[in-house]
Amino acid sequence: MSEASTAAPMIETHGVTKVYADGRVQALAGVDLSVSAGEFVAVTGPSGCGKSTLLGLLAALDSPTSGTIRVGSHALEQLHDANHFRRQEVGLVFQFHNLLPRLSTLHNVEIAMLGSTRPHAERTGFALGLLDDVGLAHLAHRRPPQLSGGERQRVAVARALANEPSVLFADEPTGSLDSHSTEVVLALFQRLRTERGVTIVIVTHDETVAATADRTVHMLDGRIDLEGPTP
Amino acid sequence: MGMSGVALPPTASDPVTQGHPEATRHDRPLTMVALVATNLWAKKARSAGIAFAVALAVMTVVTLTVVSSGLETAASAVLTVGKADFTVAQNGVSDILYSNIDTGQLERIGATPGVKSSVGVLLETERINAANPLFIEIGIQPDDLTTFGVTVVAGTAYGATASKEVMLGWRAAQNLGLHVGDTFHANGTANRIVGIYSTGISYGDSAAMFPLPALQAYNRVPGSVSLVFVKIAPGQSSAQVQRALTRDQPELTTISTLAQAGRADRNLVFLKAAVTGSTILALVIGAIVVGNTMLLSLFERTREFGLLRAIGWGRRRVVWLVVSESLVLALLGSAIGVAVSFLVTTVLEALPQLHGVLHSDFTPGAFWRGFAVGIGMAILGSLYPSVRAANLTPLKALSNE
């Protein structure tokens, strides 16, 4: 476990359950999880074990059937404005980049700032800075169809960082990438953690990806069955 | 790579952006307006389809409005010729020209307390030539010409019992190329033009005046007039005189403003109802077309809306995005619709079959009505798709294939 994990928890869940389809499908069956500020945690497990469901709940994209979730200073069950929480507190990266093909790379990053408190005059410069951080400033005017898969995912990471979140959630971020692009994206995550102190939780079923995290949480049938530092 | 510390350099003076001067020089910040424009431009065919639907509906509404307004103006303009305080007509006739008031009624109107003068006038229309298919003919006694506001500007007035004599309004004379002493063929008779007159009102100056008994004889309505133009005595209340008159003769109605013309002309009422009905129909059909297209677009963009919600866009912002896209197309479509309507009515007016019959009346009201219909269509049509887009569950929307 890294040094960061000894700090105050950034994320805490207690007894979180999630039931779908009128009670017939139990996706989560009592999850207790604690993630320290600045920690890089990988959630692994077979398909259907509930890891993406857990990530969706942590990002306030959905609400639990029971249990409590706290991210930073926010108790999610008491959130009045989940949109504001997602915009200001968390960054999201998905397996598919979900970039808007008609916008330039730069505007795909800026779109996350619409409605944010950052002044208009600063947005373009800031977005360009983020693209530079992910090594793509020279492609700021290209559109997503003109980028490789790895480049698109790096733009998606830049977009996730647009509002300087304290936590980054990534659901299978390398699931559709080749090995080289996977390495680039994982190196980017490592640098985010070490250079910025961003807390990162990624969901993956790829053991080699999980190995780059500080800690691995293994899930099975909606529960955490193994937890420990990455070897 | 410039990743150093928690906060990234935020301004254009940052070394990172200075390293990419081209980007900072040419890129404008992404705003909602720019996003709407980009979205519409990216789907040109869809955008053009919606704008076309709006334009079609707006064109229909504006054309109907200006044509009906022109007909209304033409039909009711006759009421303004006499420069009276109010006009009396038969109640509830289908067309004001079919109003029929007999000599007895005319005398009782003149005897109504508060009435200073009353002038009975017979109105008929006749096809003079292709350019004048509904030429107005006014039968009026020469003694009443001054009271009626007629000034003879050339020649003389006709005699009270003269036959085959006529006076032309100066506009009519100009349009027909006729002068005093020339012959004017009307009512199957060759009439000598004895004078040219002016009323100061375009509609009256585009007509011809005959001795009342002569026009009654030509049209086989002896003793009848169409309208009676009333002036009230000084100090009298027009409203009170009108009330007294209609109480005494309930089969008659009084008209003191053009807006009241419908009392004596049911065709105008039907026409207005038809235009209102067509406007509502165009609005509903247009809204369905816009709504259907926007809904199809929503299905195509489900993942996009899911993403926007996931990265923190509120429902109101999503609704505003969809409605704004629709509004921009509505404004564009409305402008096209109004312009095409202008062209269409101009072409219709020039058609031989409609020349002289159709008078379009492009008023600011018709213009605003067209835009109101276009914007109404956009709001109605995009309301459901936008609310649906805003209420998408981000996770479900993002997993949409």
Side-chain angles (χ1 to χ4, degrees):
Chain A
M1 197 175 291
S2 74
E3 285 176 38
S5 64
T6 59
M10 173 60 82
I11 300 168
E12 267 190 314
T13 73
H14 291 293
V16 170
T17 68
K18 182 67 185 178
V19 179
Y20 291 112
D22 299 329
R24 283 173 294 175
V25 178
Q26 178 144 32
L28 296 178
V31 174
D32 297 311
L33 176 68
S34 177
V35 179
S36 302
E39 193 178 9
F40 181 2
V41 173
V43 181
T44 63
S47 295
C49 70
K51 52 189 188 296
S52 290
T53 301
L54 176 63
L55 201 76
L57 298 181
L58 296 177
L61 290 168
D62 202 353
S63 48
T65 306
S66 65
T68 60
I69 301 172
R70 188 177 60 76
V71 177
S73 59
H74 301 274
L76 300 197
E77 63 276 12
Q78 293 170 6
L79 270 185
H80 290 299
D81 187 352
N83 301 314
H84 182 266
F85 169 77
R86 287 198 295 270
R87 188 169 59 239
Q88 297 300 131
E89 304 296 332
V90 303
L92 288 166
V93 180
F94 307 94
Q95 177 175 356
F96 299 102
H97 50 82
N98 290 316
L99 301 178
L100 303 187
R102 54 188 170 275
L103 296 183
S104 68
T105 300
L106 187 62
H107 283 173
N108 262 291
V109 177
E110 279 191 64
I111 198 167
M113 297 183 211
L114 286 177
S116 78
T117 53
R118 188 180 301 285
H120 271 276
E122 294 179 6
R123 291 179 185 174
T124 302
F126 190 82
L128 200 61
L130 288 170
L131 284 175
D132 191 75
D133 281 342
V134 298
L136 295 175
H138 62 293
L139 301 179
H141 298 116
R142 298 255 181 107
R143 294 178 197 282
Q146 297 170 300
L147 305 180
S148 70
E151 287 167 341
R152 290 177 201 171
Q153 198 60 303
R154 281 148 67 193
V155 176
V157 173
R159 180 183 62 198
L161 299 173
N163 294 313
E164 298 182 274
S166 49
V167 184
L168 185 71
F169 295 117
D171 190 358
E172 302 281 9
T174 58
S176 57
L177 301 183
D178 58 33
S179 56
H180 172 68
S181 297
T182 297
E183 281 177 25
V184 173
V185 170
L186 290 176
L188 185 59
F189 284 168
Q190 283 291 358
R191 284 179 37 245
L192 281 173
R193 188 185 69 80
T194 56
E195 296 181 15
R196 286 191 178 204
V198 175
T199 306
I200 300 173
V201 178
I202 71 166
V203 159
T204 181
H205 60 263
D206 185 334
E207 293 300 330
T208 57
V209 171
T212 62
D214 301 327
R215 180 160 61 105
T216 301
V217 172
H218 189 265
M219 290 186 70
L220 190 65
D221 298 333
R223 287 189 172 84
I224 295 174
D225 72 332
L226 280 172
E227 194 174 352
T230 305
Chain B
M1 302 260 266
M3 190 174 289
S4 55
V6 173
L8 281 169
T11 65
S13 61
D14 173 286
V16 170
T17 54
Q18 282 176 354
H20 305 279
E22 203 169 314
T24 53
R25 218 171 27 241
H26 297 304
D27 285 310
R28 291 179 180 169
L30 181 66
T31 59
M32 281 296 277
V33 174
L35 186 59
V36 167
T38 305
N39 288 347
L40 295 178
W41 187 248
K43 297 282 182 184
K44 295 182 198 67
R46 192 193 76 206
S47 300
I50 294 176
F52 178 74
V54 172
L56 204 60
V58 168
M59 185 205 71
T60 306
V61 168
V62 173
T63 304
L64 280 171
T65 303
V66 299
V67 167
S68 74
S69 175
L71 289 174
E72 188 181 350
T73 303
S76 53
V78 67
L79 300 171
T80 64
V81 177
K83 293 179 178 172
D85 291 316
F86 63 86
T87 309
V88 183
Q90 189 184 347
N91 206 352
V93 289
S94 61
D95 188 311
I96 205 162
L97 294 178
Y98 296 156
S99 168
N100 190 311
I101 297 171
D102 63 30
T103 312
Q105 289 170 311
L106 179 58
E107 285 173 0
R108 282 166 68 183
I109 292 169
T112 304
V115 171
K116 180 187 171 193
S117 67
S118 58
V119 177
V121 167
L122 179 65
L123 296 170
E124 296 293 343
T125 58
E126 184 181 356
R127 179 185 173 86
I128 299 295
N129 53 35
N132 295 279
L134 290 171
F135 188 79
I136 296 284
E137 296 166 356
I138 302 170
I140 183 171
Q141 294 286 23
D143 293 348
D144 290 331
L145 288 173
T146 305
T147 313
F148 199 59
V150 176
T151 306
V152 178
V153 295
T156 59
Y158 44 68
T161 56
S163 62
K164 301 183 182 179
E165 285 187 4
V166 67
M167 286 201 303
L168 287 184
W170 69 268
R171 284 179 188 273
Q174 200 170 63
N175 292 341
L176 297 167
L178 295 173
H179 306 89
V180 173
D182 289 346
T183 300
F184 175 62
H185 292 273
N187 295 298
T189 308
N191 303 280
R192 191 169 62 85
I193 300 169
V194 295
I196 305 294
Y197 69 85
S198 167
T199 61
I201 293 168
S202 155
Y203 192 81
D205 294 338
S206 302
M209 287 188 178
F210 292 83
L212 182 60
L215 194 62
Q216 287 170 333
Y218 290 146
N219 291 282
R220 296 185 184 85
V221 284
S224 288
V225 294
S226 309
L227 301 171
V228 178
F229 293 83
V230 176
K231 283 187 179 170
I232 58 169
Q236 296 292 323
S237 157
S238 175
Q240 280 181 358
V241 174
Q242 289 182 58
R243 272 198 297 274
L245 197 153
T246 50
R247 197 165 46 239
D248 181 43
Q249 302 189 76
E251 69 278 14
L252 302 180
T253 188
T254 59
I255 303 156
S256 52
T257 64
L258 291 182
Q260 294 172 349
R263 289 182 187 174
D265 195 329
R266 280 185 296 160
N267 284 347
L268 285 182
V269 177
F270 294 146
L271 192 63
K272 281 183 178 175
V275 171
T276 304
S278 305
T279 301
I280 293 170
L281 200 63
L283 186 65
V284 170
I285 293 173
I288 290 171
V289 171
V290 171
N292 190 45
T293 314
M294 294 300 283
L295 208 53
L296 285 175
S297 151
L298 166 69
F299 292 137
E300 286 172 19
R301 297 166 68 187
T302 297
R303 284 180 72 95
E304 174 186 334
F305 291 124
L307 170 83
L308 295 176
R309 298 277 290 116
I311 62 175
W313 275 42
R315 287 188 172 87
R316 268 185 296 183
R317 187 172 286 274
V318 174
V319 168
W320 183 232
L321 176 69
V322 178
V323 173
S324 298
E325 290 179 11
S326 191
L327 275 176
V328 169
L329 295 177
L331 287 173
L332 182 69
S334 298
I336 294 169
V338 169
V340 173
S341 170
F342 185 77
L343 291 175
V344 165
T345 49
T346 306
V347 169
L348 286 176
E349 280 180 338
L351 287 177
Q353 299 88 336
L354 295 175
H355 187 69
V357 179
L358 199 66
H359 300 280
S360 56
D361 189 8
F362 259 93
T363 60
F367 177 83
W368 291 119
R369 188 176 190 154
F371 271 86
V373 165
I375 291 167
M377 281 170 60
I379 291 174
L380 283 177
S382 61
L383 211 55
Y384 173 67
S386 62
V387 170
R388 196 175 156 135
N391 285 321
L392 283 170
T393 308
L395 281 176
K396 278 187 186 169
L398 284 167
S399 60
N400 186 280
E401 293 300 327

